[in-house]
Amino acid sequence: MNVFALGIGGTGAKCVEALIHLHASGLITDQAGKAVRLGTFLVEPDQQSTLLARAQIAIDRYSKLRDQLGNVTDGYAASDIDHYGSWSPLAGSTPGISLEQVFSKAVLRNQSSGLAALFDCLFSPDEQTAELDVGFRGRPPIGSAVMSRINLSQDDVTGAWDKLLGAIRTAAGSGAPPIIHLFGSVFGGTGASGVPTLGQMLKTWLQDQGFSNVRVHASLLLPYFDFDGQGDSETGIHAEARNFQLNTDAALQYLSNN
């Protein structure tokens, strides 16, 4: 059986790193106790993230371990991991890109004043101009808007997404139905926006492909850490631990209703 694990944001990367260790210990198995074929995919706008790097190191080390063991092991590290890469929803963008640049607000003003006005209603001036290289700053609406630009149904999907969807398509057509499992936080920016947005996109894509037997699961982590310090007038918008509970309440209400 194939399990495709998508780690979204820093928390998602931490979960994938832990999953690698569980898989190496022989604990990721199907109902018959046989090791599953694990595929990994990481979503992170901050390509300098330490947590992203740790997950990638764990995947690389597992692959080297498998090269040394070959097929001589029965339980420990019993199957390969297929890593389909990491994807940034800001891939190809210029350094320091902001939300108003992502959606070309200047063009919207000239060509569709109504959409420009809606953009101003949905996002504050600070949210529109904040640089997004380091992530979505604890603001799920920003992440949802940026991630929703990808269309999985288009024929020109390339790179890591093309590899992942191709592998899901192959697995869905043979053997036991695969499982897609998304990991992310429910209180931050990238995970809180990416899990529901990308999860729904994948479910729509599966329906369009006719793969009704593929299950999409998710693990959403509640606030599990805190930090001191507040921003000042020079900081701009940023994640604040004092907002974690409020973000969690809003996210759970949204997920419950939708």
Side-chain angles (χ1 to χ4, degrees):
M1 182 178 73
N2 291 74
V3 174
F4 298 93
L6 279 65
I8 303 175
T11 294
K14 283 176 69 72
C15 290
V16 168
E17 181 188 0
L19 194 68
I20 300 304
H21 289 282
L22 291 173
H23 192 53
S25 300
L27 298 176
I28 310 298
T29 62
D30 59 18
Q31 292 180 337
K34 183 179 179 182
V36 304
R37 179 112 186 172
L38 181 64
T40 55
F41 185 79
L42 301 169
V43 176
E44 177 59 82
D46 180 8
Q47 292 294 292
Q48 304 304 313
S49 165
T50 301
L51 298 177
L52 174 66
R54 284 183 51 150
Q56 292 171 326
I57 289 171
I59 293 168
D60 180 61
R61 287 177 175 173
Y62 183 92
S63 297
K64 291 177 179 177
L65 174 65
R66 281 287 303 161
D67 289 341
Q68 293 294 319
L69 292 176
N71 295 318
V72 299
T73 178
D74 185 30
Y76 179 79
S79 66
D80 292 328
I81 290 178
D82 301 308
H83 183 49
Y84 302 105
S86 64
W87 173 73
S88 167
L90 297 171
S93 301
T94 57
I97 192 167
S98 64
L99 191 64
E100 67 175 8
Q101 293 172 321
V102 169
F103 288 96
S104 304
K105 185 179 177 182
V107 176
L108 284 180
R109 282 202 194 99
N110 293 328
Q111 298 184 0
S112 181
S113 59
L115 282 177
L118 177 62
F119 187 73
D120 286 332
C121 287
L122 294 174
F123 302 100
S124 70
D126 286 343
E127 290 175 330
Q128 293 181 29
T129 57
E131 295 182 0
L132 303 179
D133 301 69
V134 295
F136 302 127
R137 299 171 180 264
R139 305 296 173 96
I142 295 178
S144 298
V146 174
M147 289 198 195
S148 64
R149 296 181 305 150
I150 186 173
N151 186 349
L152 301 184
S153 297
Q154 289 184 342
D155 293 333
D156 58 354
V157 173
T158 59
W161 274 110
D162 184 50
K163 294 178 183 177
L164 174 66
L165 297 180
I168 294 173
R169 190 183 291 111
T170 299
S174 59
I179 293 174
I180 302 172
H181 199 108
L182 292 77
F183 295 93
S185 72
V186 75
F187 59 90
T190 303
S193 61
V195 171
T197 301
L198 297 178
Q200 187 57 55
M201 285 183 176
L202 283 166
K203 289 182 71 175
T204 300
W205 178 81
L206 290 168
Q207 291 172 359
D208 292 342
Q209 297 287 317
F211 297 142
S212 58
N213 60 340
V214 180
R215 292 173 288 169
V216 180
H217 298 171
S219 293
L220 293 166
L221 273 71
L222 299 174
Y224 61 93
F225 66 88
D226 198 355
F227 55 84
D228 297 324
Q230 303 297 331
D232 53 34
S233 58
E234 301 297 325
T235 306
I237 66 169
H238 56 283
E240 296 183 77
R242 64 183 181 182
N243 292 332
F244 284 172
Q245 189 61 53
L246 180 63
N247 290 350
T248 299
D249 291 344
L252 293 179
Q253 288 184 47
Y254 169 80
L255 294 169
S256 176
N257 293 330
N258 294 278

